[in-house]
Amino acid sequence: PSPFIWYDLMTPDVKAAKAFYSTAVGWTIADSGMPGMDYSILKAGAIDVGGMMGLPPGAPAMPPMWSGYIHSADVDADAARAAELGGQICNRPEDIPGVGRFAVIADPGGATFNIFKPDGGGTPAEVPDATPGHIGWRELHAGDGKAAWDFYSAMFGWTKKEAFDMGALGVYQLFATGGGAVGGMMTKMADMPQATWVYYFNVDAIDAAAARVSGAGGKVLMGPHQVPTGQWIV
């Protein structure tokens, strides 16, 4: 099964984003050194976990957004399969010289993700759960939870773990990409304008992290509160 292996932030204000995330999450942020590309690497300790870049020249105004990259052994074949399963190819497969090959896909409900084959084809080494600075959870707010599960399980071989019945809010389905649960998916709330993936970043202590968010100019929208797994989120 194909795991998530990279995460990108695209933002209209890279300078402000660097200042915020280095404080709130604790990442070290350094220029990638990629020729002709203003792309920064997010590092948790010595390990690269993601990247950050500005909007492409000429791109329409848009809010900042995070994107997750799912490992692919064959980007072209996976893009074709996504279309066969009811998804949409938003950016056809192309190479990033010296880095790998990728494509941008929208699932049948409209949530977008990237598929990516690094040069060499391997996946990053796993890190212990809850390691600060690493991504601890991946959550899909889907157009339709059941249809989304059918799509992703067929695409990537993901497997179901525990499911939580949230009453009027529907079912929250945990999923695994080869071992224990690494995320969950559910049908989005009616007032959410579109389906989307959300990513959770591990921190050392939740109250201290919430204070750093506010101190760095961010806004706490919810929490901190405890979730059924025993962890705390904000």
Side-chain angles (χ1 to χ4, degrees):
S2 302
F4 283 86
I5 59 172
W6 195 255
Y7 306 85
D8 262 351
L9 173 66
M10 186 174 290
T11 172
D13 192 335
V14 173
K15 182 179 179 181
K18 287 180 177 179
F20 174 78
Y21 284 101
S22 61
T23 299
V25 182
W27 287 323
T28 301
I29 304 174
D31 185 76
S32 66
M34 296 171 64
M37 188 174 185
D38 184 11
Y39 186 79
S40 298
I41 301 295
L42 313 175
K43 300 176 73 72
I47 299 177
D48 299 345
V49 297
M52 180 186 297
M53 64 185 296
L55 296 177
M62 58 180 281
M65 64 175 293
W66 281 95
S67 298
Y69 289 70
I70 300 171
H71 183 268
S72 170
D74 187 329
V75 170
D76 296 78
D78 282 345
R81 184 163 69 253
E84 292 170 359
L85 292 170
Q88 179 182 352
I89 303 173
C90 303
N91 191 110
R92 302 198 65 81
E94 64 177 282
D95 292 322
I96 306 173
V99 177
R101 188 166 178 80
F102 82 104
V104 182
I105 306 295
D107 70 21
T112 59
F113 61 93
N114 302 308
I115 51 176
F116 180 59
K117 180 181 180 180
D119 283 354
T123 59
E126 292 187 10
V127 296
D129 288 345
T131 302
H134 291 266
I135 287 72
W137 199 249
R138 305 124 192 104
E139 188 172 87
L140 175 63
H141 295 256
D144 179 278
K146 182 182 182 305
W149 174 253
D150 292 342
F151 173 82
Y152 287 100
S153 59
M155 269 292 297
F156 300 117
W158 294 351
T159 56
K160 286 184 176 180
K161 293 295 185 179
E162 189 175 1
F164 295 93
D165 187 345
M166 302 187 298
L169 298 179
V171 174
Y172 189 82
Q173 177 65 59
L174 305 192
F175 68 89
T177 61
V182 298
M185 58 180 68
M186 61 181 289
T187 300
K188 72 178 183 66
M189 300 295 98
D191 59 353
M192 184 176 284
Q194 67 181 61
T196 188
W197 279 96
V198 176
Y199 306 100
Y200 291 68
F201 310 126
N202 292 335
V203 293
D204 49 1
I206 199 69
D207 292 313
R212 292 197 302 269
V213 166
S214 298
K219 183 178 181 181
V220 174
L221 301 177
M222 178 184 69
H225 73 256
Q226 196 169 24
V227 294
T229 57
Q231 297 160 305
W232 288 77
I233 64 170
V234 62

